[in-house]
Amino acid sequence: MDIERIGERAGAAIVPVGGPWSPPRTEPGGAESVSLAIIGSGGAGAMRAGEILLDVAAKTGFFGLMTRAMGPQIRGGEAAALLRIATAPVSSLDDHFDLLIALDWANFSRFAAELPLAATSLVITDQDEGEVPVAIGESGALVAALAMKKLARAVPGGRANMIALGAAAALIGLPAALVTEVLARQLGRKGEAVLAASAGALALGEKAAASLPPMRRLAAPPAAAGTRWNISGNQATGLGALKGGVSFVAAYPITPATEVLEWMAPALAKTGGMLVQAEDELAAINMVIGASFAGAPALTATSGPGLALMIEALGLAVASETPLVVVDVMRGGPSTGIPTKFEQSDLDIAVHGLHGDAPHLVLAPNSIGDCLTTTQWAVVLAETLQTPAIVLSDQALGQSRAVIAPPPPPPTLPGRLIATAAEGAGYQRYALTARGVSPMAIPGTSGTTYVADGLEHSARGAPSAQASDHHAQLDKRARKLETFDYGEPWADLEGEGEIALLTWGSATGPAREAMRRARAAGLAVRLISLRLLLPAQPARMAAALAGVRRLLVVEQSHGRQFHKFLRANYDLPAEVAVISRPGPLPIRPADILARLATWE
Amino acid sequence: MPDIPVSTAPVLTVQDFKSDIKPIWCPGCGDFSVLAALTKAFAELGRPRESIALISGIGCSSRLPAYTSVYGFHGVHGRALALAAGVKLARPDLTVIAAGGDGDGLSIGGNHFLHACRRNVDMTYILMDNQVYGMTKGQASPTTAPDWCESKLTPEGPGISPIAPLPLALAAGVNFFARGFAGNPNELARLITAGITHPGFAVIHVLSPCVTFRAEQRAWKQAVHALDGAPATDPVAAMTRFAGDDGFTTGILYAGSNPPFMPERQSAMLAADFEPGFVVERQGVG
Amino acid sequence: MALLITENCTSCDACRPVCPNEAIAVAEPIYTIDPLRCTECIGAEDEPQCRLVCPADCIEDNPDFRESRTALLAKYQELHA
């Protein structure tokens, strides 16, 4: 094994890539958090190796996070598992990767920017799989060679990704025996031969690690920390929908939302519900409206292009006051954009997309675990307020997995206000009630037949073009959302101080870590992450911003959609700065800390 | 799902199935006869009003639900079939009817028409065909002849050949296809009743003259002719038999036997039962 | 002659409101004219109003009720006495 050195790095000063706030990385007892990436072409098994590593870390007692960087190709494109293993829950990837294992460099250029390295990083390359790219050298990282492909051939059926897995686990300090055990369970059903080949390759990888340069190793796993889950955002979204009471889903596949629907299909079938595949998004959303009208809480999941197709029907749901939830797992836009990467650029269409005055709900989970809580909340809110709700998740949450504590449940709500047969002859579906919500008759109930209508209508539901009916129904549909008390979950408020980070959705991850690092270094910073975007909550926001002199808005869009939304709906402090960067590069904690530092 | 109290309905007359709202249709419109035939079919079927859901899109004919006293949903243009499928799939106990015109159903709603035939959900689709967009005052629809020059949008005529609903539906796997004429509401009522009672997706193609923009359609009275022989029951035979259909053959033309689409449900688990699957079992390593 | 609504009727309700003798009734599946009350509008109008408004031109002379003008006028006066 020859170790190709690019510059002597041993003992070099640790130069953090990001801002001045990253605490010095001296870890006598081991690192609280280690970040690594396993990259290669699609089908090389980088993703599988990453998933097993996260599973092993979880079983060892650690917390962690794994996101995927993938090209649109089914096979052959770029594929990377980006992991962070830690002794405590983590909300975002770190500023850089401590370890990068490249099964091959074939597609590295396509996502080099998503793999920041530091002077302390170790890069493992397979000298038979292409030259080390120039960018790696420039990072100052230490490069070591490991002929993974050749080594794998020493084991019949062995694969390079298992060599990489063995090496990675050994390097960062995960128990080898557990890796083999997890592998056995995951590959068990594929038969003894595959298992033996993988276990063999794994052992070779572990052994090879001994001859590789040392790197940061994990501290001991935390003492038992209560129940922990290993779950993806899309799975959490599906589970939250189910827990909210959804019993009908109409599905049309679209990256990166399909996994929500694929998780729900068998689950609904076993819980008395149903998932039906539709011919297009127009059919999907209208089937959802039909099922909800018939009494079944209903939902669909899509991404930007699908949401655009569904907008007209969402207007029908607003006008006919039919509850439903649409989960928009956002991706790079506009148009086809970048289906496999994330962005927060559907806020405008979610808030303003419906034609006419069409009040509705817009919510957004701000972590992988929160996908469950926010989706469940959206379902019961939609049912209680008889309105469509758009849930803005994104690829960074949906297709990432995390080892987390079980997410908290949302508030319990009364659910749908159902008209009883007693309403009788005088039943008015769209009665002008004080709170705005009016009893909804479920088909099959005698005496309360009515026609739900997208056409403007009177209190009874008869078509009407009269100004009086139009104004009364517009007021009713707005009143029912604006007078409702959404309570604490409207936003996550953490920390105090005259400086505030105001963000939403997946950008909350790095913002939360930046806030924690800043506070650890003595700078008082508070975090405000909006979960409920529409309707706006002026009173609650004023209270949350009380005492704030400087505001840093953090979002991942090119057109500063969130910042404009804030200015349209809220009074902001005098001094406001904005970090607004489109996908696919995630904003890192260090980027936020660097901006805060300029306010010193 | 709330358990729904369904009353034991007294015998209902045709009038009981009509609402008190006066139709906006032009006097003499064929859709009046469709309303008469539909309510007559409901009275003959004897099902309670609350057990029926009538779903429509946008257009003259899609105003139908408001003039009945059953549950209704007046949706958006072209999507009645999808909305109706959602109602039926969520509530198999309901009798679900979709209604709309040739524009709503075969132009903007064409894709849903294909997949409704293919999916074969147990519901009935009343396609009121007057070969014109009436609500928007006289444009050509997918069933309009290529040389009809009365529309300001296509003053030289659409210039393209019309869609023939029957072969299109058969090719897409429709399970029941009947054609009626608004001028014969009694026969139309029988066809609607037959469509509702036939399992699976049933299309009732109604030639319903537009008295205002297609006054010449009064001649349909002489053009319609009853199907000679029994309805086709084999899809392939039906396709060859009706390939050259002139569009005026009335009666039950095809009655197939595809089983209706209805995913079966089990209530074996609760939502919370899925949480253990995500729990990480901490394993002490020796 | 009283008048008769034939099968082309689409129940569009255009005729019922214009009949001076309220002789037209909603029926299934087409409307009907009560021959005992129909005076072909003699006594009220110069021509039968229902036939005037019917878009389907489906109102004909009722072959079973051939009455002279004077008989129809007498019926009208009796109805409105």
Side-chain angles (χ1 to χ4, degrees):
Chain A
M1 194 96 47
D2 55 326
I3 293 169
E4 181 193 322
R5 285 184 180 283
I6 297 182
E8 185 52 48
R9 286 293 169 272
I14 292 168
V15 180
V17 166
W21 290 102
S22 30
R25 302 270 169 135
T26 52
E27 300 125 325
E32 287 168 11
S33 139
V34 171
S35 293
L36 66 146
I38 303 174
I39 71 171
S41 303
M47 224 60 79
R48 164 144 299 290
E51 275 161 7
I52 293 172
L53 207 68
L54 186 67
D55 202 359
V56 170
K59 289 189 164 70
T60 315
F62 291 105
F63 290 90
L65 178 67
M66 173 181 143
T67 65
R68 295 190 261 181
M70 298 172 300
Q73 303 84 340
I74 303 306
R75 281 197 174 284
E78 76 271 23
L82 313 177
L83 292 110
R84 183 181 188 187
I85 315 290
T87 54
V90 284
S91 60
S92 91
L93 287 176
D94 207 333
D95 297 332
H96 60 266
F97 292 97
D98 302 300
L99 174 63
L100 169 65
I101 300 183
L103 298 169
D104 61 68
W105 296 104
N107 300 288
F108 177 74
S109 57
R110 291 215 187 109
F111 53 20
E114 294 172 65
L115 298 161
L117 296 169
T120 55
S121 303
L122 173 63
V123 172
I124 308 292
T125 179
D126 187 328
Q127 58 273 52
D128 305 329
E129 289 301 311
E131 286 308 308
V132 177
V134 171
I136 296 289
E138 282 157 5
S139 70
L142 178 65
V143 178
L146 178 60
M148 292 172 271
K149 200 151 189 137
K150 196 152 54 171
L151 262 175
R153 276 199 287 275
V155 174
R159 293 188 61 206
N161 70 328
M162 285 301 126
I163 299 281
L165 175 58
L171 281 169
I172 68 172
L174 288 176
L178 202 49
V179 181
T180 317
E181 187 187 308
V182 167
L183 192 65
R185 192 170 319 106
Q186 292 212 353
L187 300 177
R189 45 188 162 64
K190 290 189 178 165
E192 280 313 317
V194 172
L195 190 51
S198 300
L202 201 62
L204 280 179
E206 280 154 34
K207 206 149 45 17
S211 62
L212 292 170
M215 59 166 285
R216 300 176 61 241
R217 289 173 66 81
L218 281 163
T227 310
R228 287 168 307 125
W229 287 1
N230 182 348
I231 189 169
S232 75
N234 279 347
Q235 288 172 327
T237 299
L239 180 55
L242 216 55
K243 293 188 73 175
V246 167
S247 64
F248 183 89
V249 168
Y252 193 76
I254 185 170
T255 301
T258 316
E259 289 117 344
V260 175
L261 305 163
E262 284 171 338
W263 186 86
M264 291 196 81
L268 277 165
K270 297 198 188 80
T271 50
M274 177 189 300
L275 179 140
V276 175
Q277 183 168 334
E279 56 269 25
D280 53 37
E281 283 93 347
L282 304 164
I285 186 67
N286 278 282
M287 283 181 180
V288 160
I289 290 175
S292 177
F293 164 71
L299 168 145
T300 187
T302 188
S303 187
L307 178 63
L309 288 172
M310 296 181 178
I311 291 291
E312 183 196 13
L314 290 181
L316 174 62
V318 169
S320 61
E321 300 194 53
T322 307
L324 62 85
V325 173
V326 176
V327 178
D328 171 10
V329 186
M330 296 182 288
R331 69 195 213 178
S335 185
T336 309
I338 312 178
T340 55
K341 308 271 167 121
F342 86 103
E343 201 162 71
Q344 295 187 305
S345 49
D346 289 355
L347 182 59
D348 279 353
I349 189 173
V351 171
H352 304 293
L354 282 69
H355 65 275
D357 294 301
H360 57 284
L361 298 176
V362 177
L363 300 101
N366 61 19
S367 73
I368 287 170
D370 193 42
C371 286
L372 186 156
T373 308
T374 296
T375 305
Q376 184 175 347
W377 193 32
V379 173
V380 294
L381 275 174
E383 287 287 309
T384 302
L385 298 171
Q386 294 177 24
T387 176
I390 300 173
V391 174
L392 294 176
S393 173
D394 67 36
Q395 187 274 334
L397 296 177
Q399 293 190 320
S400 300
R401 312 183 61 76
V403 182
I404 52 171
T412 50
L413 293 174
R416 203 179 288 202
L417 179 62
I418 294 180
T420 58
E423 304 272 346
Y427 174 57
Q428 294 199 327
R429 166 66 185 104
Y430 300 111
L432 302 173
T433 62
R435 280 184 34 246
V437 177
S438 48
M440 179 176 181
I442 304 301
T445 311
S446 65
T448 52
T449 55
Y450 77 98
V451 178
D453 214 324
L455 208 54
E456 191 56 282
H457 40 258
S458 63
R460 191 176 76 119
S464 165
Q466 289 171 35
S468 55
D469 285 325
H470 187 41
H471 298 166
Q473 292 295 322
L474 284 168
D475 288 344
K476 172 193 185 332
R477 294 188 288 255
R479 180 167 68 244
K480 72 178 178 181
L481 299 191
E482 278 151 20
T483 60
F484 186 77
D485 177 5
Y486 297 91
E488 294 312 317
W490 80 286
D492 285 350
L493 311 177
E494 292 162 24
E496 346 69 49
E498 290 184 343
I499 292 179
L501 302 179
L502 179 49
T503 185
W504 72 286
S506 60
T508 304
R512 185 167 270 150
E513 169 127 359
M515 175 198 68
R516 286 185 180 144
R517 285 195 205 165
R519 298 184 67 79
L523 177 66
V525 177
R526 73 174 82 172
L527 171 74
I528 305 169
S529 167
L530 302 192
R531 177 173 291 104
L532 178 67
L533 293 154
L534 208 64
Q537 301 290 297
R540 290 183 185 278
M541 179 64 92
L545 286 174
V548 172
R549 256 187 338 99
R550 286 170 167 165
L551 187 67
L552 178 56
V553 174
V554 182
E555 63 168 302
Q556 302 249 201
S557 82
H558 183 265
R560 295 188 167 201
Q561 296 187 20
F562 183 53
H563 180 224
K564 289 179 193 157
F565 166 78
L566 291 171
R567 294 186 54 183
N569 289 282
Y570 296 114
D571 297 327
L572 301 179
E575 196 169 348
V576 179
V578 181
I579 294 182
S580 180
R581 175 194 305 165
L585 300 185
I587 293 172
R588 307 262 170 194
D591 304 328
I592 297 170
L593 292 167
R595 184 62 186 76
L596 290 177
T598 66
W599 271 345
E600 260 328 279
Chain B
M1 186 81 63
D3 54 355
I4 306 298
V6 178
S7 68
T8 49
V11 174
L12 294 173
T13 67
V14 171
Q15 286 309 326
D16 291 328
F17 282 99
K18 288 183 179 167
S19 75
D20 56 7
I21 296 175
K22 184 168 180 357
I24 51 118
W25 296 323
C26 312
C29 172
D31 292 350
F32 282 102
S33 308
V34 179
L35 175 61
L38 180 62
T39 47
K40 186 176 167 82
F42 285 159
E44 276 158 17
L45 280 165
R47 299 178 186 177
R49 280 172 293 196
E50 60 270 15
S51 71
I52 299 170
L54 178 57
I55 316 298
S56 68
I58 296 296
C60 296
S61 53
S62 287
R63 289 302 190 100
L64 195 61
Y67 312 139
T68 70
S69 60
V70 297
Y71 279 97
F73 206 127
H74 181 208
V76 288
H77 198 34
R79 317 303 170 195
L81 284 171
L83 202 151
V87 176
K88 183 64 177 181
L89 291 169
R91 290 287 303 284
D93 55 302
L94 296 174
T95 299
V96 176
I97 320 275
D102 39 309
D104 184 83
L106 300 172
S107 204
I108 182 169
N111 189 32
H112 307 309
F113 180 71
L114 292 184
H115 290 274
C117 292
R118 170 180 164 234
R119 186 168 293 114
N120 198 29
V121 167
D122 184 11
M123 61 186 188
T124 306
Y125 182 41
I126 299 174
L127 176 63
M128 287 163 267
D129 187 355
N130 57 8
Q131 300 180 0
V132 75
Y133 280 93
M135 181 71 82
T136 43
K137 300 193 175 32
Q139 294 74 29
S141 83
T143 51
T144 305
D147 56 1
W148 181 66
C149 302
E150 304 309 313
S151 162
K152 299 192 188 73
L153 281 189
T154 52
E156 308 306 317
I160 48 178
S161 58
I163 282 174
L166 175 56
L168 181 67
L170 287 170
V174 73
N175 197 48
F176 180 96
F177 194 104
R179 182 178 297 127
F181 174 48
N184 186 345
N186 283 328
E187 189 210 15
L188 184 53
R190 280 195 308 279
L191 297 176
I192 290 174
T193 306
I196 291 174
T197 47
H198 193 83
F201 185 58
V203 173
I204 315 296
H205 180 212
V206 186
L207 301 175
S208 178
C210 174
V211 67
T212 302
F213 298 107
R214 303 299 304 261
E216 75 281 8
Q217 287 172 347
R218 179 168 294 134
W220 281 357
K221 178 81 182 168
Q222 289 67 38
V224 289
H225 50 88
L227 172 72
D228 52 17
T233 53
D234 168 70
V236 174
M239 282 196 209
T240 42
R241 179 172 173 191
F242 297 118
D245 174 56
D246 64 1
F248 290 98
T249 319
T250 59
I252 299 177
L253 307 181
Y254 171 69
S257 50
N258 290 344
F261 173 74
M262 181 53 75
E264 46 91 27
R265 301 156 175 263
Q266 334 140 359
S267 293
M269 295 172 70
L270 298 173
D273 298 340
F274 289 91
E275 290 177 0
F278 295 112
V279 172
V280 178
E281 295 308 331
R282 187 183 178 117
Q283 284 164 337
V285 177
Chain C
M1 226 109 53
L3 298 181
L4 175 69
I5 295 178
T6 65
E7 54 169 21
N8 283 348
C9 163
T10 65
S11 321
C12 73
D13 203 48
C15 56
R16 190 178 50 76
V18 301
C19 174
N21 300 340
E22 292 170 358
I24 300 176
V26 177
E28 300 316 322
I30 59 174
Y31 278 42
T32 57
I33 296 178
D34 176 355
L36 304 182
R37 296 185 65 88
C38 172
T39 64
E40 301 180 42
C41 286
I42 291 171
E45 308 287 349
D46 45 18
E47 61 168 319
Q49 294 302 291
C50 60
R51 182 176 281 162
L52 201 65
V53 301
C54 175
D57 293 339
C58 68
I59 301 180
E60 294 157 3
D61 296 342
N62 187 334
D64 306 336
F65 287 83
R66 295 185 185 289
E67 297 148 304
S68 65
R69 275 189 64 82
T70 48
L72 290 169
L73 187 58
K75 189 196 298 185
Y76 179 82
Q77 278 147 2
E78 187 191 313
L79 283 170
H80 294 276

